[in-house]
């Protein structure tokens, strides 16, 4: 039997894990590793209970995990494209290319799993990022060669 989503439970506490933190925290205690893995600069109030974290993850539907990852990729790509209030401060087109390509791959692979209700706005966001990448590039890629276009086909304005 599958678990129903529990209202009020959020994926945010586990979706913000960074892989670099896993390396930094290797060989240390569980509480220290949990602090280093999370995005927050505030140490946890109590040691991490990994069994509880696993149960929390198990309660989140796969669709919610996929959509959350896609939104995180979109947000990171927007920052790397310089589309935030800070503008060019964090602009890095090489990093943006990787993020947009990963987002396109995720949406291509997961589209049949997440339904058109969730997939359509994510595809629109992907197309917007692809167009923003093309506009931000000094030498734009050939049509069909831009980030993620391997999965989406050529993107035109």
């Amino acid at each position: 039997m599958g678990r129903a989503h529990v209202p009020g439970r959020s994926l945010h506490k586990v979706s913000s894990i960074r892989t670099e933190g896993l390396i930094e925290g290797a060989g240390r205690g569980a509480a220290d590793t949990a602090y280093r893995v999370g995005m927050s600069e505030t140490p946890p109030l109590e040691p991490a209970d990994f069994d509880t974290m696993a149960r929390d993850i198990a309660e989140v539907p796969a669709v919610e995990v996929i959509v959350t990852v896609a939104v995180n990729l979109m947000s990171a790509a927007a920052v790397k494209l310089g589309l935030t209030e800070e503008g060019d401060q964090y602009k890095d087109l090489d990093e943006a290319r990787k993020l947009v390509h990963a987002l396109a791959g995720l949406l291509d692979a997961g589209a049949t799993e997440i339904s058109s209700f969730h997939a359509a706005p994510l595809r629109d966001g992907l197309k917007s990022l692809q167009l923003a990448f093309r506009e931000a590039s000094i030498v734009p890629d050939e049509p069909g060669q831009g980030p993620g276009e391997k999965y989406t086909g050529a993107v035109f304005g």
Side-chain angles (χ1 to χ4, degrees):
M1 256 175 112
R3 293 180 189 235
H5 175 66
V6 178
R9 280 264 158 104
S10 173
L11 180 63
H12 297 288
K13 65 176 135 183
V14 289
S15 68
S16 62
I17 293 176
R18 297 182 306 194
T19 55
E20 65 204 40
L22 292 174
I23 296 167
E24 290 174 15
R28 298 187 182 142
D32 188 47
T33 301
Y35 168 67
R36 292 190 171 279
V37 170
M39 296 287 284
S40 173
E41 294 298 321
T42 307
L45 298 176
E46 55 191 60
D49 179 358
F50 293 104
D51 289 337
T52 301
M53 288 174 61
R55 279 192 300 278
D56 288 348
I57 291 169
E59 292 174 357
V60 178
V63 169
E64 198 171 317
V65 173
I66 294 167
V67 170
T68 300
V69 170
V71 170
N72 286 335
L73 286 168
M74 291 175 94
S75 298
V79 170
K80 297 295 185 178
L81 285 167
L83 301 176
T84 60
E85 289 180 10
E86 293 84 13
D88 290 346
Q89 182 179 356
Y90 302 110
K91 190 172 185 176
D92 184 338
L93 294 183
D94 185 49
E95 291 290 303
R97 176 184 294 278
K98 294 171 188 173
L99 292 163
V100 172
H101 189 76
L103 174 62
L106 174 65
L107 294 182
D108 183 54
T112 58
E113 306 300 326
I114 62 175
S115 80
S116 61
F117 175 78
H118 294 290
L122 293 172
R123 281 193 201 110
D124 290 343
L126 171 60
K127 182 177 180 181
S128 295
L129 291 170
Q130 289 171 313
L131 291 170
F133 184 91
R134 186 171 298 281
E135 290 174 13
S137 298
I138 296 171
V139 180
D141 296 313
E142 292 294 321
Q145 300 301 309
E149 291 182 7
K150 166 184 172 180
Y151 301 106
T152 63
V155 175
F156 301 99

